[in-house]
Amino acid sequence: MLENHRFKTVKEEGKIANLELALKENPTKSTIGIGHTRWATHGRPSKQNAHPHASSTVCVVHNGIIENYQELKTKLQKKGVKFLSQTDTEVVPHLIEYHYQKTGDIKKSLSSALEEIHGTLALAVIFKDREDVIAFAKKGSPLILGVGENENYIASDYYAVSAHTNKIIILEDGEFGIVTADSYEIFDSAGKKLKKKVKIMEAENSKISKDGFDHFMLKEIFEQPRVLEETIQAYVNIDNGSTHLPNFPFDLKKINKITIVACGTSYYAGMCAKYLIEEIADTEVEVDIASEFRYRAHPFRSDNLMVFISQSGETADTIAALKYAKSRGQKILSIVNAPHSSMAQLSDAVIRTIAGPEIGVASTKAYTAQIAVLSLFAIELGFLKGKVDKAEKLKLIAQIVEAGAKMNHFFEEENIKNIKKVARYLVKAQHMLYIGRGISQVTAFEAALKLRELSYIDAQGIAAGELKHGTIALIDKKMPVIVIAPSNNLFDKILSNAQEVKARGGKIIFISDKKGIAHFDKMADKKIEIPQLSGIIQEALLPVVSTQLLAYYVALFKGSDVDQPRNLAKSVTVE
Ligand code: F6R
């Protein structure tokens, strides 16, 4: 904050609530301020390394990574600058100050500093002698301008300002500018003044509440039937089975290969899509981890479609992969939950997932929304390519519609009671395995990630048939193994894999439908019942919900911070 031409800084370690308390103890009349939740890149999480960082006259918050900070730091140290933190960010205020002292001009000083900085940034800057101004810049990290009545904002995304305004300007890489309470100026990287469109957003703020649930995550798990229903409403005419995906500026019929790129849970949605698209549309699919995508050779072909999946649309690794594919002339389709995100802006076509804002750090409803949309995409592709006829198309769509209704089974009191019981049984486990076959193998990967990130238990997902090729060495009586086994064509196979675990003393937690459970009754130490599935889409959409609930309750009973697990950020905007 700026108060009587002095920087007033309040920093806290840990939760935002700590900062709220500290701010209450340090009231201010200031009407200009900058703030940032730091996700540690350079230097450990501490008060000293927390933003803002300041020189004597310039103060900044920064999201991103200054790649040449060491070089800039050495240069500044030679001029006598003393650094107080281990961060890369601390070079920025000193660099801007250096240029500001030379020119006395905010625009020029920012532009000169930006020329010297390599890396990614979303920057907000205040100047000791200008109580009316915040300067800003964007390169690689998300940034928007919120336009209010006699008040303006700079923020990473719309949700941050949605309580104050629904008018925003989406900034693009290379842009920078100056904002006051009642004016703003935006420039391109060459310093030319830009006229940018103000977007009127849907009022979102009313939706951001826990609605009586203890955590956002639990609320979001329970929202999934509604998410499926809204996805169908948005993209399907249920009376005649026609689908209304957005128009693609390329001919889907001519696509012979699809490459899907994403991170984390979105990557697992991509793995599900491989099963769905290859089975339904008979089209080859490759799935890549975004952070690795640029670092190996790709035989890019003109009949290839690149699909990027992201809840936030701001994941730095995915954006970098997208830009790389775009620079190689590939067709780009994004599947994002944030319609105005950077990824959406960069793509040739966008299919929006209809999950609504996802606040819990662990992705739940965004994952099922991604699978629903990817299923519709697979169905449309199969239909256009003549692999799926009208009757088959209707049956496949019905799988999604029915999945919504079947999902409610998980939320029945009896089922929640049982999942809590299983969670208590697992709460002391140090290690855990999830196994599955076919598309349920992907559920095993996603389920293990969810448990790991929430409860900090060392959980691995593994293709059941792979166990015997090494991982089975881990099995002993302290190793719980969650077996995801709907009674389908692979049921007998996974039954044998579970027997192998049992024979070595492992504990079996069995996730299956009534029919499957009847088979497993004697072998299972614990059981979680799922509805009878009808087809591959339901297999991707339904068992995962029981694993989300299980991860939630294990984490809850362990006392973890469910909505904000340690070391994680909701939107990973650094590479
Ligand atoms: C796990 C989780 C992460 C994200 C990943 C990608 O629960 O949420 O693994 O899925 O960071 O994020 P998006 O989808 O925003 O690109």
Side-chain angles (χ1 to χ4, degrees):
M1 294 160 277
L2 254 173
E3 218 175 53
N4 304 324
H5 294 293
R6 279 184 37 238
F7 293 135
K8 179 171 174 173
T9 305
V10 183
K11 297 184 182 190
E12 280 305 323
E13 218 180 305
K15 298 283 159 203
I16 300 287
N18 302 345
L19 186 67
E20 280 172 347
L21 208 70
L23 283 167
K24 266 193 199 137
E25 286 161 9
N26 286 281
T28 177
K29 290 203 171 67
S30 171
T31 59
I32 186 159
I34 53 178
H36 177 53
T37 316
R38 174 172 181 258
W39 187 81
T41 59
H42 299 66
R44 65 181 190 87
S46 67
K47 256 194 190 184
Q48 191 188 28
N49 289 332
H51 296 209
H53 291 286
S55 64
S56 53
T57 60
V58 177
C59 185
V60 310
V61 291
H62 161 232
N63 179 23
I65 293 180
I66 312 291
E67 285 164 5
N68 60 336
Y69 86 99
Q70 197 56 58
E71 182 193 317
L72 294 171
K73 192 168 178 174
T74 311
K75 217 164 105 185
L76 289 160
Q77 275 166 333
K78 282 190 187 143
K79 290 191 199 320
V81 173
K82 296 257 178 302
F83 286 88
L84 305 174
S85 77
Q86 296 136 3
T87 64
D88 53 338
T89 299
E90 203 182 346
V91 298
V92 180
H94 292 285
L95 200 60
I96 297 175
E97 179 179 85
Y98 171 74
H99 291 291
Y100 190 52
Q101 279 170 354
K102 261 174 52 181
T103 61
D105 181 278
I106 290 183
K107 181 186 164 194
K108 280 188 194 149
S109 64
L110 196 57
S111 160
S112 303
L114 290 171
E115 270 173 31
E116 288 184 63
I117 293 170
H118 302 159
T120 52
L121 51 85
L123 213 57
V125 190
I126 53 176
F127 296 80
K128 200 177 244 176
D129 62 347
R130 289 295 302 271
E131 278 200 12
D132 57 334
V133 164
I134 299 179
F136 57 87
K138 167 178 162 57
K139 194 175 137 204
S141 303
L143 199 67
I144 60 117
L145 179 70
V147 184
E149 297 281 325
N150 297 322
E151 53 183 23
N152 289 316
Y153 303 88
I154 286 291
S156 290
D157 65 28
Y158 168 52
Y159 297 132
V161 299
S162 60
H164 306 283
T165 179
N166 67 342
K167 293 192 202 121
I168 66 162
I169 294 173
I170 297 171
L171 298 166
E172 276 159 47
D173 283 349
E175 292 178 352
F176 69 101
I178 295 165
V179 61
T180 68
D182 50 16
S183 72
Y184 56 82
E185 285 182 296
I186 303 170
F187 309 100
D188 69 9
S189 54
K192 194 172 137 243
K193 195 164 169 181
L194 301 171
K195 261 195 138 168
K196 302 236 348 159
K197 214 170 128 204
V198 178
K199 281 189 191 265
I200 311 290
M201 306 290 287
E202 240 174 76
E204 291 277 11
N205 201 47
S206 57
K207 294 184 196 158
I208 304 175
S209 99
K210 287 189 198 147
D211 285 347
F213 286 90
D214 290 341
H215 295 95
F216 280 110
M217 183 186 174
L218 191 61
K219 176 189 165 214
E220 288 159 5
I221 292 173
F222 273 68
E223 277 175 344
Q224 291 177 104
R226 184 182 58 71
V227 167
L228 294 188
E229 200 182 311
E230 288 181 9
T231 303
I232 292 290
Q233 269 167 16
Y235 295 125
V236 179
N237 180 337
I238 207 70
D239 297 331
N240 62 13
S242 57
T243 34
H244 307 287
L245 294 179
N247 286 335
F248 301 111
F250 40 78
D251 189 351
L252 267 188
K253 288 200 286 295
K254 295 197 177 129
I255 299 296
N256 288 322
K257 187 182 164 199
I258 294 173
T259 306
I260 301 180
V261 182
C263 301
T265 291
S266 296
Y267 171 75
Y268 293 136
M271 284 185 80
C272 282
K274 177 176 170 69
Y275 281 83
L276 296 166
I277 295 169
E278 290 188 343
E279 180 166 322
I280 298 168
D282 191 22
T283 302
E284 185 191 344
V285 178
E286 189 184 2
V287 194
D288 253 295
I289 288 177
S291 56
E292 287 295 321
F293 183 73
R294 287 176 296 157
Y295 306 114
R296 71 180 169 87
H298 295 277
F300 288 119
R301 307 269 186 252
S302 58
D303 59 354
N304 186 45
L305 171 66
M306 300 286 315
V307 178
F308 294 86
I309 308 174
S310 175
Q311 186 284 126
S312 61
E314 300 295 353
T315 301
D317 286 324
T318 315
I319 292 177
L322 188 160
K323 285 183 178 163
Y324 173 62
K326 197 171 169 167
S327 74
R328 302 295 302 271
Q330 291 288 286
K331 300 170 196 65
I332 312 283
L333 166 65
S334 278
I335 295 184
V336 293
N337 199 38
H340 300 288
S341 55
S342 304
M343 278 174 60
Q345 312 292 322
L346 289 163
S347 302
D348 299 317
V350 178
I351 310 181
R352 184 185 172 189
T353 47
I354 321 284
E358 190 179 62
I359 308 297
V361 164
S363 190
T364 52
K365 63 173 181 170
Y367 178 70
T368 41
Q370 286 164 349
I371 292 172
V373 155
L374 287 159
S375 302
L376 289 173
F377 176 76
I379 296 167
E380 182 68 7
L381 186 68
F383 187 66
L384 288 174
K385 286 187 156 212
K387 310 284 178 193
V388 166
D389 62 15
K390 188 87 196 269
E392 183 61 15
K393 186 178 178 187
L394 283 169
K395 271 199 216 155
L396 288 164
I397 291 171
Q399 277 198 49
I400 310 174
V401 177
E402 283 167 15
K406 287 185 186 179
M407 234 176 227
N408 285 313
H409 152 90
F410 295 108
F411 312 130
E412 286 163 12
E413 209 182 314
E414 268 308 291
N415 192 55
I416 296 281
K417 228 162 96 184
N418 179 49
I419 288 185
K420 281 184 181 169
K421 211 165 80 191
V422 180
R424 286 198 198 283
Y425 177 76
L426 295 172
V427 80
K428 293 235 162 66
Q430 305 267 313
H431 313 278
M432 213 131 87
L433 291 176
Y434 285 80
I435 61 171
R437 298 195 81 123
I439 206 166
S440 287
Q441 170 200 168
V442 186
T443 304
F445 299 155
E446 164 57 12
L449 172 64
K450 210 92 307 165
L451 190 81
R452 266 198 312 274
E453 66 179 326
L454 288 169
S455 71
Y456 322 137
I457 292 174
D458 173 20
Q460 270 188 62
I462 183 158
E466 271 292 293
L467 259 187
K468 56 185 175 293
H469 297 292
T471 311
I472 203 160
L474 296 176
I475 305 288
D476 62 14
K477 61 181 184 340
K478 287 200 204 120
M479 177 67 93
V481 180
I482 318 260
V483 183
I484 302 165
S487 59
N488 59 17
N489 58 328
L490 290 170
F491 185 76
D492 290 342
K493 300 278 172 207
I494 198 157
L495 198 63
S496 309
N497 302 131
Q499 299 277 13
E500 290 154 15
V501 170
K502 193 74 187 169
R504 286 158 181 81
K507 300 273 177 282
I508 302 272
I509 293 90
F510 189 51
I511 300 184
S512 188
D513 45 66
K514 249 195 189 71
K515 210 163 128 201
I517 283 186
H519 260 82
F520 251 90
D521 214 19
K522 293 219 174 69
M523 197 204 300
D525 294 279
K526 290 278 175 268
K527 287 160 273 184
I528 296 174
E529 193 183 314
I530 57 170
Q532 190 71 43
L533 308 176
S534 45
I536 189 171
I537 299 177
Q538 291 197 356
E539 190 173 340
L541 285 173
L542 286 162
V544 73
V545 179
S546 59
T547 67
Q548 295 167 346
L549 284 164
L550 189 63
Y552 171 81
Y553 284 113
V554 173
L556 190 75
F557 298 152
K558 283 197 81 158
S560 309
D561 184 342
V562 176
D563 278 338
Q564 289 172 317
R566 70 184 182 203
N567 301 344
L568 298 177
K570 181 67 188 159
S571 178
V572 185
T573 54
V574 292
E575 280 180 46

